[in-house]
mmCIF file of all heavy atoms in Angstrom:
data_model
loop_
_atom_site.group_PDB
_atom_site.id
_atom_site.type_symbol
_atom_site.label_atom_id
_atom_site.label_comp_id
_atom_site.label_asym_id
_atom_site.label_seq_id
_atom_site.Cartn_x
_atom_site.Cartn_y
_atom_site.Cartn_z
ATOM 1 N N TRP A 1 6.009 -3.225 16.368
ATOM 2 C CA TRP A 1 5.149 -4.375 16.103
ATOM 3 C C TRP A 1 3.929 -3.832 15.248
ATOM 4 O O TRP A 1 3.179 -3.066 15.726
ATOM 5 C CB TRP A 1 4.666 -5.030 17.371
ATOM 6 C CG TRP A 1 5.749 -5.733 18.128
ATOM 7 C CD1 TRP A 1 6.786 -5.210 18.810
ATOM 8 C CD2 TRP A 1 5.912 -7.157 18.247
ATOM 9 N NE1 TRP A 1 7.558 -6.183 19.385
ATOM 10 C CE2 TRP A 1 7.055 -7.399 18.992
ATOM 11 C CE3 TRP A 1 5.161 -8.207 17.721
ATOM 12 C CZ2 TRP A 1 7.494 -8.669 19.343
ATOM 13 C CZ3 TRP A 1 5.665 -9.475 18.014
ATOM 14 C CH2 TRP A 1 6.744 -9.713 18.799
ATOM 15 N N LEU A 2 3.810 -4.420 14.089
ATOM 16 C CA LEU A 2 2.697 -4.111 13.223
ATOM 17 C C LEU A 2 1.737 -5.325 13.235
ATOM 18 O O LEU A 2 2.097 -6.400 12.921
ATOM 19 C CB LEU A 2 3.135 -3.809 11.808
ATOM 20 C CG LEU A 2 4.143 -2.685 11.602
ATOM 21 C CD1 LEU A 2 4.553 -2.504 10.140
ATOM 22 C CD2 LEU A 2 3.650 -1.368 12.237
ATOM 23 N N VAL A 3 0.425 -5.021 13.656
ATOM 24 C CA VAL A 3 -0.506 -6.137 13.833
ATOM 25 C C VAL A 3 -1.475 -6.163 12.669
ATOM 26 O O VAL A 3 -2.020 -5.082 12.229
ATOM 27 C CB VAL A 3 -1.239 -5.867 15.167
ATOM 28 C CG1 VAL A 3 -2.247 -7.051 15.418
ATOM 29 C CG2 VAL A 3 -0.257 -5.827 16.343
ATOM 30 N N PHE A 4 -1.728 -7.347 12.152
ATOM 31 C CA PHE A 4 -2.627 -7.433 10.997
ATOM 32 C C PHE A 4 -3.747 -8.465 11.408
ATOM 33 O O PHE A 4 -3.528 -9.474 12.044
ATOM 34 C CB PHE A 4 -1.878 -8.015 9.803
ATOM 35 C CG PHE A 4 -0.780 -7.080 9.288
ATOM 36 C CD1 PHE A 4 0.480 -7.093 9.893
ATOM 37 C CD2 PHE A 4 -1.022 -6.262 8.239
ATOM 38 C CE1 PHE A 4 1.441 -6.281 9.523
ATOM 39 C CE2 PHE A 4 0.012 -5.454 7.806
ATOM 40 C CZ PHE A 4 1.192 -5.427 8.391
ATOM 41 N N GLU A 5 -4.984 -8.158 10.957
ATOM 42 C CA GLU A 5 -6.152 -9.011 11.311
ATOM 43 C C GLU A 5 -6.085 -10.329 10.526
ATOM 44 O O GLU A 5 -6.392 -11.375 11.085
ATOM 45 C CB GLU A 5 -7.436 -8.266 11.067
ATOM 46 C CG GLU A 5 -7.646 -7.027 11.845
ATOM 47 C CD GLU A 5 -7.886 -7.360 13.342
ATOM 48 O OE1 GLU A 5 -8.243 -8.525 13.664
ATOM 49 O OE2 GLU A 5 -7.698 -6.437 14.214
ATOM 50 N N GLN A 6 -5.789 -10.292 9.255
ATOM 51 C CA GLN A 6 -5.785 -11.523 8.442
ATOM 52 C C GLN A 6 -4.433 -11.818 7.931
ATOM 53 O O GLN A 6 -3.567 -11.014 7.711
ATOM 54 C CB GLN A 6 -6.726 -11.203 7.167
ATOM 55 C CG GLN A 6 -8.120 -10.775 7.472
ATOM 56 C CD GLN A 6 -8.854 -11.889 8.143
ATOM 57 O OE1 GLN A 6 -8.679 -13.029 7.951
ATOM 58 N NE2 GLN A 6 -9.793 -11.457 9.074
ATOM 59 N N ALA A 7 -4.251 -13.180 7.786
ATOM 60 C CA ALA A 7 -2.932 -13.662 7.331
ATOM 61 C C ALA A 7 -2.624 -13.226 5.947
ATOM 62 O O ALA A 7 -1.455 -12.930 5.673
ATOM 63 C CB ALA A 7 -2.957 -15.252 7.359
ATOM 64 N N GLU A 8 -3.686 -13.093 5.051
ATOM 65 C CA GLU A 8 -3.422 -12.633 3.648
ATOM 66 C C GLU A 8 -2.885 -11.137 3.606
ATOM 67 O O GLU A 8 -1.972 -10.869 2.848
ATOM 68 C CB GLU A 8 -4.698 -12.716 2.858
ATOM 69 C CG GLU A 8 -5.136 -14.196 2.584
ATOM 70 C CD GLU A 8 -5.799 -14.838 3.783
ATOM 71 O OE1 GLU A 8 -6.032 -14.104 4.755
ATOM 72 O OE2 GLU A 8 -6.005 -16.039 3.775
ATOM 73 N N THR A 9 -3.423 -10.338 4.452
ATOM 74 C CA THR A 9 -3.035 -8.956 4.543
ATOM 75 C C THR A 9 -1.529 -8.863 5.007
ATOM 76 O O THR A 9 -0.683 -8.142 4.492
ATOM 77 C CB THR A 9 -3.926 -8.128 5.429
ATOM 78 O OG1 THR A 9 -5.239 -8.301 5.105
ATOM 79 C CG2 THR A 9 -3.590 -6.632 5.383
ATOM 80 N N LEU A 10 -1.255 -9.601 6.057
ATOM 81 C CA LEU A 10 0.104 -9.751 6.552
ATOM 82 C C LEU A 10 1.031 -10.242 5.520
ATOM 83 O O LEU A 10 2.147 -9.696 5.330
ATOM 84 C CB LEU A 10 0.119 -10.606 7.813
ATOM 85 C CG LEU A 10 1.502 -11.072 8.326
ATOM 86 C CD1 LEU A 10 2.304 -9.860 8.749
ATOM 87 C CD2 LEU A 10 1.311 -12.018 9.559
ATOM 88 N N PHE A 11 0.686 -11.254 4.735
ATOM 89 C CA PHE A 11 1.522 -11.892 3.716
ATOM 90 C C PHE A 11 1.864 -10.783 2.608
ATOM 91 O O PHE A 11 2.984 -10.650 2.281
ATOM 92 C CB PHE A 11 0.811 -13.000 3.098
ATOM 93 C CG PHE A 11 1.394 -13.541 1.879
ATOM 94 C CD1 PHE A 11 2.617 -14.285 1.950
ATOM 95 C CD2 PHE A 11 0.838 -13.345 0.651
ATOM 96 C CE1 PHE A 11 3.218 -14.763 0.800
ATOM 97 C CE2 PHE A 11 1.474 -13.831 -0.496
ATOM 98 C CZ PHE A 11 2.655 -14.545 -0.446
ATOM 99 N N ASN A 12 0.792 -10.056 2.211
ATOM 100 C CA ASN A 12 1.112 -9.107 1.165
ATOM 101 C C ASN A 12 2.024 -7.932 1.674
ATOM 102 O O ASN A 12 2.860 -7.469 0.833
ATOM 103 C CB ASN A 12 -0.246 -8.492 0.658
ATOM 104 C CG ASN A 12 -1.113 -9.430 -0.089
ATOM 105 O OD1 ASN A 12 -0.589 -10.353 -0.687
ATOM 106 N ND2 ASN A 12 -2.423 -9.302 0.113
ATOM 107 N N ARG A 13 1.926 -7.564 2.854
ATOM 108 C CA ARG A 13 2.854 -6.559 3.423
ATOM 109 C C ARG A 13 4.257 -7.153 3.557
ATOM 110 O O ARG A 13 5.262 -6.413 3.356
ATOM 111 C CB ARG A 13 2.289 -6.076 4.748
ATOM 112 C CG ARG A 13 3.232 -5.294 5.580
ATOM 113 C CD ARG A 13 3.554 -3.879 4.903
ATOM 114 N NE ARG A 13 4.400 -3.054 5.718
ATOM 115 C CZ ARG A 13 5.777 -3.220 5.892
ATOM 116 N NH1 ARG A 13 6.393 -4.231 5.248
ATOM 117 N NH2 ARG A 13 6.345 -2.403 6.679
ATOM 118 N N ALA A 14 4.375 -8.407 3.974
ATOM 119 C CA ALA A 14 5.644 -8.997 4.223
ATOM 120 C C ALA A 14 6.499 -9.308 2.950
ATOM 121 O O ALA A 14 7.699 -9.514 3.016
ATOM 122 C CB ALA A 14 5.487 -10.296 5.020
ATOM 123 N N LEU A 15 5.864 -9.285 1.756
ATOM 124 C CA LEU A 15 6.503 -9.570 0.515
ATOM 125 C C LEU A 15 7.594 -8.568 0.299
ATOM 126 O O LEU A 15 8.483 -8.869 -0.519
ATOM 127 C CB LEU A 15 5.527 -9.624 -0.622
ATOM 128 C CG LEU A 15 4.703 -10.891 -0.730
ATOM 129 C CD1 LEU A 15 3.651 -10.741 -1.830
ATOM 130 C CD2 LEU A 15 5.639 -12.077 -1.122
ATOM 131 N N ASN A 16 7.468 -7.364 0.894
ATOM 132 C CA ASN A 16 8.492 -6.308 0.684
ATOM 133 C C ASN A 16 9.560 -6.288 1.808
ATOM 134 O O ASN A 16 10.397 -5.375 1.805
ATOM 135 C CB ASN A 16 7.838 -4.972 0.589
ATOM 136 C CG ASN A 16 6.913 -4.894 -0.602
ATOM 137 O OD1 ASN A 16 7.225 -5.307 -1.702
ATOM 138 N ND2 ASN A 16 5.700 -4.332 -0.438
ATOM 139 N N ALA A 17 9.472 -7.229 2.700
ATOM 140 C CA ALA A 17 10.375 -7.160 3.833
ATOM 141 C C ALA A 17 11.790 -7.662 3.412
ATOM 142 O O ALA A 17 11.971 -8.379 2.456
ATOM 143 C CB ALA A 17 9.861 -8.068 4.947
ATOM 144 N N LYS A 18 12.809 -7.191 4.188
ATOM 145 C CA LYS A 18 14.186 -7.572 3.903
ATOM 146 C C LYS A 18 14.797 -8.429 5.048
ATOM 147 O O LYS A 18 15.464 -9.434 4.797
ATOM 148 C CB LYS A 18 15.083 -6.355 3.748
ATOM 149 C CG LYS A 18 14.688 -5.452 2.600
ATOM 150 C CD LYS A 18 14.822 -6.184 1.266
ATOM 151 C CE LYS A 18 14.472 -5.259 0.075
ATOM 152 N NZ LYS A 18 14.498 -6.020 -1.198
ATOM 153 N N ALA A 19 14.464 -7.998 6.284
ATOM 154 C CA ALA A 19 15.012 -8.795 7.434
ATOM 155 C C ALA A 19 14.075 -8.705 8.611
ATOM 156 O O ALA A 19 14.466 -8.990 9.696
ATOM 157 C CB ALA A 19 16.344 -8.185 7.821
ATOM 158 N N ALA A 20 12.760 -8.466 8.402
ATOM 159 C CA ALA A 20 11.778 -8.312 9.462
ATOM 160 C C ALA A 20 11.405 -9.743 9.950
ATOM 161 O O ALA A 20 11.767 -10.748 9.354
ATOM 162 C CB ALA A 20 10.547 -7.590 8.968
ATOM 163 N N THR A 21 10.656 -9.783 11.105
ATOM 164 C CA THR A 21 10.180 -11.018 11.584
ATOM 165 C C THR A 21 8.702 -11.045 11.409
ATOM 166 O O THR A 21 7.958 -10.095 11.663
ATOM 167 C CB THR A 21 10.387 -11.040 13.176
ATOM 168 O OG1 THR A 21 11.816 -10.934 13.451
ATOM 169 C CG2 THR A 21 9.873 -12.322 13.731
ATOM 170 N N VAL A 22 8.272 -12.147 10.738
ATOM 171 C CA VAL A 22 6.897 -12.364 10.352
ATOM 172 C C VAL A 22 6.287 -13.517 11.278
ATOM 173 O O VAL A 22 6.829 -14.600 11.286
ATOM 174 C CB VAL A 22 6.708 -12.729 8.857
ATOM 175 C CG1 VAL A 22 5.265 -12.904 8.502
ATOM 176 C CG2 VAL A 22 7.362 -11.595 8.019
ATOM 177 N N VAL A 23 5.203 -13.197 11.973
ATOM 178 C CA VAL A 23 4.604 -14.168 12.851
ATOM 179 C C VAL A 23 3.217 -14.512 12.350
ATOM 180 O O VAL A 23 2.322 -13.712 12.337
ATOM 181 C CB VAL A 23 4.541 -13.642 14.286
ATOM 182 C CG1 VAL A 23 4.022 -14.779 15.266
ATOM 183 C CG2 VAL A 23 5.884 -13.149 14.797
ATOM 184 N N LEU A 24 3.031 -15.816 12.014
ATOM 185 C CA LEU A 24 1.720 -16.299 11.493
ATOM 186 C C LEU A 24 1.169 -17.247 12.592
ATOM 187 O O LEU A 24 1.922 -17.804 13.390
ATOM 188 C CB LEU A 24 1.928 -17.067 10.157
ATOM 189 C CG LEU A 24 2.410 -16.247 9.024
ATOM 190 C CD1 LEU A 24 2.954 -17.150 7.937
ATOM 191 C CD2 LEU A 24 1.372 -15.311 8.510
ATOM 192 N N ALA A 25 -0.154 -17.457 12.501
ATOM 193 C CA ALA A 25 -0.832 -18.316 13.526
ATOM 194 C C ALA A 25 -1.429 -19.525 12.822
ATOM 195 O O ALA A 25 -1.882 -19.438 11.633
ATOM 196 C CB ALA A 25 -1.980 -17.519 14.218
ATOM 197 N N VAL A 26 -1.396 -20.657 13.470
ATOM 198 C CA VAL A 26 -2.103 -21.873 12.943
ATOM 199 C C VAL A 26 -3.009 -22.417 14.053
ATOM 200 O O VAL A 26 -2.578 -22.596 15.190
ATOM 201 C CB VAL A 26 -1.063 -22.937 12.522
ATOM 202 C CG1 VAL A 26 -0.126 -23.312 13.657
ATOM 203 C CG2 VAL A 26 -1.738 -24.092 11.900
ATOM 204 N N ASN A 27 -4.256 -22.653 13.697
ATOM 205 C CA ASN A 27 -5.269 -23.132 14.650
ATOM 206 C C ASN A 27 -5.640 -24.572 14.399
ATOM 207 O O ASN A 27 -6.153 -25.236 15.406
ATOM 208 C CB ASN A 27 -6.441 -22.234 14.541
ATOM 209 C CG ASN A 27 -7.380 -22.323 15.690
ATOM 210 O OD1 ASN A 27 -6.903 -22.434 16.886
ATOM 211 N ND2 ASN A 27 -8.731 -22.351 15.445
ATOM 212 N N GLU A 28 -5.450 -25.028 13.221
ATOM 213 C CA GLU A 28 -5.764 -26.471 12.889
ATOM 214 C C GLU A 28 -4.941 -26.903 11.725
ATOM 215 O O GLU A 28 -4.412 -26.106 10.938
ATOM 216 C CB GLU A 28 -7.287 -26.611 12.566
ATOM 217 C CG GLU A 28 -7.795 -25.706 11.469
ATOM 218 C CD GLU A 28 -9.277 -25.831 11.262
ATOM 219 O OE1 GLU A 28 -9.865 -26.635 11.895
ATOM 220 O OE2 GLU A 28 -9.801 -25.093 10.394
ATOM 221 N N ASN A 29 -4.740 -28.281 11.648
ATOM 222 C CA ASN A 29 -3.747 -28.742 10.572
ATOM 223 C C ASN A 29 -4.251 -28.582 9.157
ATOM 224 O O ASN A 29 -3.490 -28.715 8.245
ATOM 225 C CB ASN A 29 -3.300 -30.155 10.845
ATOM 226 C CG ASN A 29 -4.441 -31.127 10.981
ATOM 227 O OD1 ASN A 29 -5.579 -30.874 10.487
ATOM 228 N ND2 ASN A 29 -4.162 -32.348 11.468
ATOM 229 N N ARG A 30 -5.590 -28.222 8.951
ATOM 230 C CA ARG A 30 -6.032 -27.977 7.635
ATOM 231 C C ARG A 30 -5.458 -26.692 7.103
ATOM 232 O O ARG A 30 -5.433 -26.417 5.834
ATOM 233 C CB ARG A 30 -7.508 -27.915 7.580
ATOM 234 C CG ARG A 30 -8.176 -29.256 7.621
ATOM 235 C CD ARG A 30 -9.702 -29.181 7.542
ATOM 236 N NE ARG A 30 -10.195 -28.589 8.765
ATOM 237 C CZ ARG A 30 -11.561 -28.494 9.011
ATOM 238 N NH1 ARG A 30 -12.437 -28.957 8.154
ATOM 239 N NH2 ARG A 30 -11.960 -27.951 10.171
ATOM 240 N N GLN A 31 -4.881 -25.902 7.932
ATOM 241 C CA GLN A 31 -4.266 -24.575 7.521
ATOM 242 C C GLN A 31 -2.792 -24.728 7.116
ATOM 243 O O GLN A 31 -2.190 -23.802 6.517
ATOM 244 C CB GLN A 31 -4.373 -23.571 8.648
ATOM 245 C CG GLN A 31 -5.782 -23.221 9.082
ATOM 246 C CD GLN A 31 -5.764 -22.380 10.331
ATOM 247 O OE1 GLN A 31 -4.839 -22.468 11.176
ATOM 248 N NE2 GLN A 31 -6.809 -21.532 10.537
ATOM 249 N N VAL A 32 -2.248 -25.892 7.398
ATOM 250 C CA VAL A 32 -0.713 -26.035 7.246
ATOM 251 C C VAL A 32 -0.334 -25.846 5.811
ATOM 252 O O VAL A 32 0.681 -25.178 5.569
ATOM 253 C CB VAL A 32 -0.346 -27.454 7.813
ATOM 254 C CG1 VAL A 32 1.134 -27.706 7.424
ATOM 255 C CG2 VAL A 32 -0.486 -27.504 9.335
ATOM 256 N N GLU A 33 -1.010 -26.517 4.846
ATOM 257 C CA GLU A 33 -0.460 -26.422 3.519
ATOM 258 C C GLU A 33 -0.508 -24.923 2.924
ATOM 259 O O GLU A 33 0.427 -24.491 2.269
ATOM 260 C CB GLU A 33 -1.265 -27.353 2.594
ATOM 261 C CG GLU A 33 -0.975 -28.815 2.891
ATOM 262 C CD GLU A 33 -1.454 -29.775 1.759
ATOM 263 O OE1 GLU A 33 -1.933 -29.230 0.730
ATOM 264 O OE2 GLU A 33 -1.313 -30.911 1.919
ATOM 265 N N SER A 34 -1.584 -24.258 3.252
ATOM 266 C CA SER A 34 -1.671 -22.845 2.810
ATOM 267 C C SER A 34 -0.538 -21.978 3.525
ATOM 268 O O SER A 34 0.075 -21.139 2.871
ATOM 269 C CB SER A 34 -3.028 -22.229 2.990
ATOM 270 O OG SER A 34 -3.292 -22.211 4.407
ATOM 271 N N LEU A 35 -0.239 -22.238 4.761
ATOM 272 C CA LEU A 35 0.773 -21.523 5.443
ATOM 273 C C LEU A 35 2.114 -21.901 4.884
ATOM 274 O O LEU A 35 3.000 -21.023 4.775
ATOM 275 C CB LEU A 35 0.755 -21.830 6.918
ATOM 276 C CG LEU A 35 -0.284 -21.223 7.820
ATOM 277 C CD1 LEU A 35 -0.298 -21.675 9.254
ATOM 278 C CD2 LEU A 35 -0.178 -19.671 7.737
ATOM 279 N N ALA A 36 2.346 -23.160 4.586
ATOM 280 C CA ALA A 36 3.609 -23.616 3.940
ATOM 281 C C ALA A 36 3.816 -22.858 2.573
ATOM 282 O O ALA A 36 4.945 -22.441 2.282
ATOM 283 C CB ALA A 36 3.644 -25.129 3.726
ATOM 284 N N ARG A 37 2.768 -22.684 1.814
ATOM 285 C CA ARG A 37 2.899 -21.995 0.531
ATOM 286 C C ARG A 37 3.281 -20.547 0.758
ATOM 287 O O ARG A 37 4.065 -19.935 0.028
ATOM 288 C CB ARG A 37 1.656 -22.155 -0.301
ATOM 289 C CG ARG A 37 1.370 -23.586 -0.750
ATOM 290 C CD ARG A 37 0.068 -23.737 -1.532
ATOM 291 N NE ARG A 37 -0.276 -25.073 -1.777
ATOM 292 C CZ ARG A 37 0.166 -25.788 -2.743
ATOM 293 N NH1 ARG A 37 1.111 -25.285 -3.562
ATOM 294 N NH2 ARG A 37 -0.183 -27.065 -2.891
ATOM 295 N N MET A 38 2.616 -19.984 1.737
ATOM 296 C CA MET A 38 3.021 -18.565 2.121
ATOM 297 C C MET A 38 4.436 -18.415 2.587
ATOM 298 O O MET A 38 5.137 -17.549 2.051
ATOM 299 C CB MET A 38 2.084 -18.097 3.264
ATOM 300 C CG MET A 38 0.682 -17.685 2.925
ATOM 301 S SD MET A 38 -0.107 -16.945 4.381
ATOM 302 C CE MET A 38 -1.811 -16.797 3.735
ATOM 303 N N ALA A 39 4.908 -19.367 3.413
ATOM 304 C CA ALA A 39 6.310 -19.343 3.931
ATOM 305 C C ALA A 39 7.249 -19.521 2.673
ATOM 306 O O ALA A 39 8.301 -18.810 2.617
ATOM 307 C CB ALA A 39 6.474 -20.411 4.963
ATOM 308 N N ARG A 40 6.939 -20.363 1.782
ATOM 309 C CA ARG A 40 7.867 -20.643 0.631
ATOM 310 C C ARG A 40 7.939 -19.337 -0.268
ATOM 311 O O ARG A 40 8.979 -18.973 -0.683
ATOM 312 C CB ARG A 40 7.425 -21.887 -0.141
ATOM 313 C CG ARG A 40 8.198 -22.177 -1.328
ATOM 314 C CD ARG A 40 9.714 -22.276 -1.066
ATOM 315 N NE ARG A 40 10.042 -23.274 -0.106
ATOM 316 C CZ ARG A 40 10.400 -24.519 -0.312
ATOM 317 N NH1 ARG A 40 10.435 -24.917 -1.496
ATOM 318 N NH2 ARG A 40 10.638 -25.254 0.725
ATOM 319 N N ARG A 41 6.770 -18.742 -0.486
ATOM 320 C CA ARG A 41 6.748 -17.547 -1.337
ATOM 321 C C ARG A 41 7.533 -16.413 -0.686
ATOM 322 O O ARG A 41 8.241 -15.636 -1.306
ATOM 323 C CB ARG A 41 5.327 -17.138 -1.735
ATOM 324 C CG ARG A 41 4.642 -18.010 -2.682
ATOM 325 C CD ARG A 41 3.304 -17.447 -3.148
ATOM 326 N NE ARG A 41 3.461 -16.148 -3.704
ATOM 327 C CZ ARG A 41 2.420 -15.345 -3.981
ATOM 328 N NH1 ARG A 41 1.184 -15.732 -3.699
ATOM 329 N NH2 ARG A 41 2.598 -14.140 -4.568
ATOM 330 N N LEU A 42 7.277 -16.260 0.660
ATOM 331 C CA LEU A 42 8.023 -15.253 1.333
ATOM 332 C C LEU A 42 9.544 -15.486 1.295
ATOM 333 O O LEU A 42 10.328 -14.563 1.109
ATOM 334 C CB LEU A 42 7.584 -15.137 2.803
ATOM 335 C CG LEU A 42 6.192 -14.500 3.037
ATOM 336 C CD1 LEU A 42 5.790 -14.622 4.546
ATOM 337 C CD2 LEU A 42 6.251 -13.055 2.726
ATOM 338 N N ARG A 43 9.924 -16.721 1.493
ATOM 339 C CA ARG A 43 11.311 -17.052 1.490
ATOM 340 C C ARG A 43 12.053 -16.735 0.172
ATOM 341 O O ARG A 43 13.111 -16.231 0.090
ATOM 342 C CB ARG A 43 11.507 -18.496 1.923
ATOM 343 C CG ARG A 43 12.977 -18.964 2.121
ATOM 344 C CD ARG A 43 13.690 -18.162 3.183
ATOM 345 N NE ARG A 43 13.173 -18.314 4.523
ATOM 346 C CZ ARG A 43 13.383 -17.562 5.548
ATOM 347 N NH1 ARG A 43 14.214 -16.530 5.372
ATOM 348 N NH2 ARG A 43 12.817 -17.739 6.747
ATOM 349 N N ASN A 44 11.329 -17.218 -0.929
ATOM 350 C CA ASN A 44 11.837 -16.957 -2.238
ATOM 351 C C ASN A 44 11.940 -15.502 -2.579
ATOM 352 O O ASN A 44 12.837 -15.086 -3.302
ATOM 353 C CB ASN A 44 11.047 -17.781 -3.298
ATOM 354 C CG ASN A 44 11.274 -19.237 -3.187
ATOM 355 O OD1 ASN A 44 12.287 -19.685 -2.658
ATOM 356 N ND2 ASN A 44 10.301 -19.994 -3.707
#
């Protein structure tokens, strides 16, 4: 388990993943669209 303080740091590290599990946190719905963009970029 690799722990990251910020979602952006985690995102940059996960861009090189092949089959890892990435766990993001959401605290309010204003964060949803930015998380969705992160998820789409990671998936692609």
Side-chain angles (χ1 to χ4, degrees):
W1 290 74
L2 304 181
V3 182
F4 299 82
E5 296 292 338
Q6 302 296 328
E8 290 77 8
T9 309
L10 168 59
F11 169 75
N12 291 329
R13 170 64 176 78
L15 282 173
N16 297 318
K18 299 298 182 184
T21 301
V22 179
V23 185
L24 299 164
V26 59
N27 197 42
E28 55 183 357
N29 57 15
R30 282 181 293 185
Q31 300 171 329
V32 169
E33 291 195 3
S34 63
L35 284 178
R37 294 180 190 278
M38 282 186 184
R40 179 51 58 93
R41 287 188 60 190
L42 285 175
R43 185 59 65 193
N44 288 338

